[in-house]
Amino acid sequence: MLILITYDVNTESDAGKRRLRKVAKQCVNYGQRVQNSVFECNIDAAKFRQVKAILEDIIDKSKDSLRFYNLGDKYQNKIEHIGAKKSFDVTDTLIF
């Protein structure tokens, strides 16, 4: 299923800047960045629970926020992209 993870981390303090880096690093482990604080993650339910728990442990819930959008398995018609930096299909074969 495709999960869209978005976050807003307060970076007014050094601790906030560290939290931001940690959140971004974890999101990269599960999906691809499509905008600064937006990641598309093609993961199963177990991985979703895992990344959600990790991110909840990182953020300061009184200053930061996380949003998770479950687009499901039939997400192709739910995404429209306009402009630069078109992303690749996360389900396609990737050749290194």
Side-chain angles (χ1 to χ4, degrees), residues 13 44 67 80:
S13 67
D44 60 23
R67 293 180 72 100
E80 181 177 350

Side-chain angles (χ1 to χ4, degrees), residues 31-88:
Q32 71 169 335
R33 184 187 302 261
V34 292
Q35 291 186 352
N36 286 338
S37 298
V38 181
F39 283 79
E40 289 179 352
C41 305
N42 195 349
I43 53 180
D44 60 23
K47 289 281 187 191
F48 173 57
R49 286 189 302 274
Q50 182 180 35
V51 68
K52 185 177 175 184
I54 290 169
L55 295 176
E56 281 186 76
D57 285 342
I58 294 171
I59 68 163
D60 179 340
K61 292 177 184 163
S62 67
K63 298 177 183 176
D64 309 328
S65 67
L66 291 168
R67 293 180 72 100
F68 301 94
Y69 298 88
N70 185 340
L71 299 178
D73 292 324
K74 298 184 190 309
Y75 59 87
Q76 288 83 357
N77 295 331
K78 296 177 184 175
I79 300 171
E80 181 177 350
H81 177 87
I82 299 170
K85 297 183 181 179
K86 182 137 174 92
S87 63
F88 61 89

